[in-house]
Amino acid sequence: MSTPTMSHRLAAEFIGTFWLVLGGCGSAVFAAKFLSDGFSVGIGFLGVALAFGLTVLTGVYAFGTISGGHFNPAVTLGAALARRVEWAAVVPYWISQVVGGLVAGVVIYVIASGKDGWSATGNMAANGYGEHSPGGYSLLAVLLAEVILTAVFLLVILGSTDDRAPKGFAGLSIGLTLTLIHLISIPISNTSVNPARSTAVAFFNGNGAPAQLWAFWLAPLVGAAIAGLAYPLLFGTAEELADRPVRDEALDR
């Protein structure tokens, strides 16, 4: 099997991030609060959480063998710190992810504008804190949640893609973890854990989202850095653990 070129990898990251934003943010914009004949038939928080999880699950299985299936600048940073991806790929990955997300944001905006009376202001599933948090949570609360949840997300990703992990299940565990993260934090920050997802809709949303975007770059990157540095220290590497039975057996003799 030939090794994917950098252009192939960047294309996979672009499409995967596009799909994540279109599926996740699109479900929030189009379907979360849908009303029919006066009755709510919207998918709500649970539906949006599942949508984000399903986009990552399907994206990892579709493109993971090409680019690693990051679709998230925080994941790329954590992977680089854990030595799962070369540092030279970090900036190109980030650019592809942000552009892919922005293109999805354009698509959501254009489709949503086809509904009479719809306004993008405050209705593009942007992240926020304070008065722009769905539940009114403070900046400190949002930063803490985003750092911790991103760190846990990266630990799951690194563990699921470890050479020691069962093969073929990484996409499932990663997608379900992102679903759980959204179930926890949609009321807190509308859930970022992904700077590209936050950037994708912030400028269309307006209403304070662009000015608060810094928090949804800083917190996920800090959380990812913590996990990327901690994983090898906490759990070692496949090579280190693979050698232990041999050394122990030799000592027993």
Side-chain angles (χ1 to χ4, degrees):
M1 181 184 294
S2 60
T3 302
T5 65
M6 181 56 74
S7 62
H8 294 151
R9 293 165 65 186
L10 297 181
E13 287 299 304
F14 174 93
I15 295 171
T17 311
F18 172 88
W19 178 229
L20 184 150
V21 173
L22 182 63
C25 294
S27 69
V29 172
F30 303 130
K33 299 178 182 178
F34 193 81
L35 298 175
S36 178
D37 297 327
F39 295 96
S40 175
V41 291
I43 60 175
F45 286 174
L46 176 59
V48 173
L50 284 170
F52 272 103
L54 288 171
T55 59
V56 168
L57 187 156
T58 53
V60 167
Y61 283 124
F63 307 115
T65 55
I66 300 170
S67 68
H70 297 183
F71 320 139
N72 181 339
V75 173
T76 301
L77 176 63
L81 288 168
R83 300 183 210 177
R84 300 288 185 88
V85 67
E86 71 275 27
W87 279 103
V90 171
V91 172
Y93 267 44
W94 282 15
I95 293 171
S96 293
Q97 292 156 357
V98 170
V99 173
L102 285 169
V103 172
V106 171
V107 171
I108 293 170
Y109 174 81
V110 171
I111 293 173
S113 297
K115 181 177 180 179
D116 289 341
W118 182 84
S119 171
T121 304
N123 294 308
M124 284 289 289
N127 302 114
Y129 56 83
E131 64 179 336
H132 301 296
S133 158
Y137 287 82
S138 68
L139 171 60
L140 178 60
V142 166
L143 291 176
L144 186 61
E146 289 285 333
V147 168
I148 292 173
L149 292 173
T150 307
V152 172
F153 189 37
L154 262 292
L155 289 175
V156 170
I157 290 171
L158 294 172
S160 299
T161 56
D162 196 302
D163 289 340
R164 296 163 285 176
K167 304 304 178 186
F169 293 96
L172 186 61
S173 64
I174 294 168
L176 289 175
T177 300
L178 189 60
T179 299
L180 178 56
I181 285 171
H182 278 78
L183 290 175
I184 295 169
S185 60
I186 287 178
I188 301 171
S189 63
N190 225 12
T191 311
S192 172
V193 302
N194 183 341
R197 168 262 186 270
S198 299
T199 304
V201 296
F203 297 97
F204 297 101
N205 186 87
N207 194 35
Q212 296 189 350
L213 186 58
W214 66 270
F216 301 101
W217 273 86
L218 177 64
L221 291 178
V222 169
I226 292 170
L229 293 170
Y231 187 88
L233 296 175
L234 291 172
F235 307 118
T237 64
E239 292 77 12
E240 290 171 348
L241 293 186
D243 288 342
R244 288 179 185 174
V246 176
R247 291 199 296 268
D248 293 344
E249 184 179 352
L251 289 172
D252 290 340
R253 291 176 183 172

